[in-house]
Amino acid sequence: MKKYKTIVIDPPWKYGKWGKPSNKRFKRWNEEFDLPYSYMTIEKIKQLDIGKLADENCQLFLWTTSKYLPYAFEVLREWGFIYSQILVWAKTPRGLGQGGLFTPTTEFILVGRKGKMPKVRRIDTTWFNWKRTNVHSRKPEDFQDLVEKVSLPPYIELFARRKRDGWDVWGNEV
């Protein structure tokens, strides 16, 4: 089996209104729609055998949101990675979405590692205001560019939504 020095993963976290599970119906910007993917529970996400894809020296980038941030740390450990840093994608507000007192306008990327990773390049921030798209849950291409600047190939993106040159991708949307 091929081993990767860089793994990017955006698991299909389960969402609903105010923390209650949804049956694929989602409300955003005052309109309802079906999420374009199936959910996984936290336990199922933890059971993914991500470690078998990892080279002995590997960096992992795990996408999450405020709701799942505490669980994302558990997932990272369960997969055998050591937490290194957290990156923040600050998205420009765009109407009212789900949320309680505050409308979520950030997503987080936990950076984990196995073994030792050579420093490829240093980036002098952990906060990014990348442009967002109208496609639910699509991550910015600028993020992939950033990963390529600081990490070594081979690269794989799990639960990918599009192909990218130089990357292996896995997901039911590619």
Side-chain angles (χ1 to χ4, degrees), residues 35-172:
L35 285 178
Y37 58 80
S38 298
Y39 308 106
M40 290 179 73
T41 65
I42 294 164
E43 289 308 312
K44 290 285 185 193
I45 291 170
K46 285 180 179 179
Q47 291 171 9
L48 293 171
D49 196 2
I50 303 304
K52 75 177 180 185
L53 296 173
D55 186 82
E56 63 181 320
N57 297 308
C58 179
Q59 264 181 297
L60 180 125
F61 296 84
L62 172 62
W63 281 94
T64 192
T65 59
S66 294
K67 177 179 178 177
Y68 286 106
L69 189 56
Y71 303 104
F73 285 98
E74 294 176 17
V75 167
L76 198 68
R77 281 190 300 275
E78 188 72 27
W79 291 344
F81 287 82
I82 298 166
Y83 168 75
S84 296
Q85 285 188 298
I86 190 165
L87 307 179
V88 179
W89 176 24
K91 303 186 282 187
T92 303
R94 199 166 60 185
L96 297 175
Q98 78 173 23
L101 294 174
F102 302 93
T103 300
T105 56
T106 53
E107 288 191 41
F108 305 97
I109 306 113
L110 298 187
V111 181
R113 66 175 173 78
K114 273 188 167 189
K116 297 180 190 268
M117 293 304 299
K119 191 178 281 189
V120 176
R121 180 174 173 192
R122 179 185 166 98
I123 305 295
D124 291 329
T125 189
T126 57
W127 177 93
F128 304 90
N129 189 231
W130 295 308
K131 185 176 168 102
R132 64 198 286 181
T133 71
N134 287 326
V135 179
H136 178 76
S137 200
R138 180 169 291 165
K139 304 307 183 239
E141 288 294 321
D142 291 335
F143 167 72
Q144 304 294 102
D145 295 340
L146 177 73
V147 169
E148 290 176 357
K149 288 177 185 172
V150 299
S151 303
L152 297 173
Y155 307 105
I156 188 169
E157 181 180 9
L158 304 171
F159 299 100
R161 291 180 172 80
R162 81 281 185 258
K163 294 180 180 178
R164 183 172 170 96
D165 287 343
W167 289 63
D168 290 337
V169 293
W170 179 87
N172 62 5

Side-chain angles (χ1 to χ4, degrees), residues 10-23:
D10 181 19
W13 304 103
K14 189 173 187 176
Y15 284 94
K17 193 172 181 179
W18 293 290
K20 296 175 186 156
S22 170
N23 196 12

